[in-house]
Amino acid sequence: DFREQGRQMNDSLYYKILGGDSVALVSAGTDLDSLEIPAYATSTGTVYRVTAIADSAFYNVGYLRTRLTKIILPNTINTIGAYAFAGYKVLREISIPDQLITMGDRAFLACSVLDNVIIPGTLVTIPNYAFSQCTALKNITLSEGVRMIMQSTFSDCTSLKQITLPQSLTTISHYAFSSCSSLKTIVIPD
């Protein structure tokens, strides 16, 4: 039960205290079409910054996975855990914060209707299978600062037609774009 993993602070959002003034969102108990995660959460008079989305935070939360089409993350988020949003079959839109530093493996695995992703330059390494099986993904923007695309990061993104790589990119790991059957153009900077 997700309620046992964290403490309810704002509405039906559950958090785990990380230390100091930071918390990680561990799950949500609301049945919504869209969700805006607040930058701050309050518990017993103490205000905490929401700095992370925990591993598997929304993975296997069945009733949310059928309706939640849009998630807005605050710019206070610097970490998205492994499998955090994996398996959302109706997630169309996610705002990845400009301050994101760390993303876990398979964070958005099989988000099959997600069609646009902007990766901030603060995320130096895009991890293994991060967007694998996002079959509707057409547009990927890799901001300057991204240095590494790891194993199978964008594999099976069958709607992806073109990608422009940033000049900062130094490593593309094996199978990063495997089975991207519509990919016709990769723009490599001079």
Side-chain angles (χ1 to χ4, degrees), residues 67-124:
R67 289 191 56 196
L68 190 60
T69 61
K70 179 180 181 180
I71 297 174
I72 301 169
L73 301 177
N75 272 331
T76 55
I77 299 285
N78 58 35
T79 302
I80 295 176
Y83 292 94
F85 298 100
Y88 270 87
K89 302 299 183 198
V90 296
L91 182 62
R92 292 192 180 285
E93 188 177 341
I94 182 97
S95 63
I96 297 178
D98 293 336
Q99 305 305 313
L100 189 69
I101 297 169
T102 305
M103 180 185 290
D105 289 351
R106 296 170 173 85
F108 294 95
L109 174 74
C111 290
S112 58
V113 296
L114 185 65
D115 65 359
N116 184 45
V117 172
I118 299 171
I119 308 291
T122 54
L123 184 65
V124 174

Side-chain angles (χ1 to χ4, degrees), residues 114-117 131 134-142 149 153-165 176-186:
L114 185 65
D115 65 359
N116 184 45
V117 172
F131 295 94
C134 292
T135 55
L137 193 56
K138 294 176 189 161
N139 302 306
I140 301 169
T141 302
L142 300 177
I149 300 173
T153 297
F154 298 107
S155 64
D156 297 301
C157 292
T158 55
S159 296
L160 182 63
K161 293 180 181 176
Q162 176 180 332
I163 187 163
T164 300
L165 304 176
F177 296 98
S178 71
S179 300
C180 292
S181 55
S182 297
L183 185 60
K184 303 293 182 216
T185 306
I186 298 176

Side-chain angles (χ1 to χ4, degrees), residues 4 32 40 95 136:
E4 294 174 10
L32 302 170
Y40 297 92
S95 63

Side-chain angles (χ1 to χ4, degrees), residues 1-3 8-15 25-38 57-58 60-72 85 88 90:
D1 188 327
F2 62 83
R3 294 170 195 251
Q8 183 176 355
M9 293 186 187
N10 293 20
D11 299 318
S12 295
L13 301 177
Y14 294 82
Y15 301 90
L25 179 72
V26 294
S27 197
T30 55
D31 191 16
L32 302 170
D33 294 330
S34 66
L35 174 64
E36 182 169 357
I37 297 169
F58 292 91
N60 280 337
V61 182
Y63 66 94
L64 276 178
R65 291 169 53 168
T66 60
R67 289 191 56 196
L68 190 60
T69 61
K70 179 180 181 180
I71 297 174
I72 301 169
F85 298 100
Y88 270 87
V90 296

Side-chain angles (χ1 to χ4, degrees), residues 5-7 9 15-24 26 43 48:
Q5 297 174 4
R7 177 188 306 175
M9 293 186 187
Y15 301 90
K16 177 181 178 182
I17 298 172
L18 298 174
D21 69 344
S22 294
V23 294
V26 294
S43 178
Y48 298 92

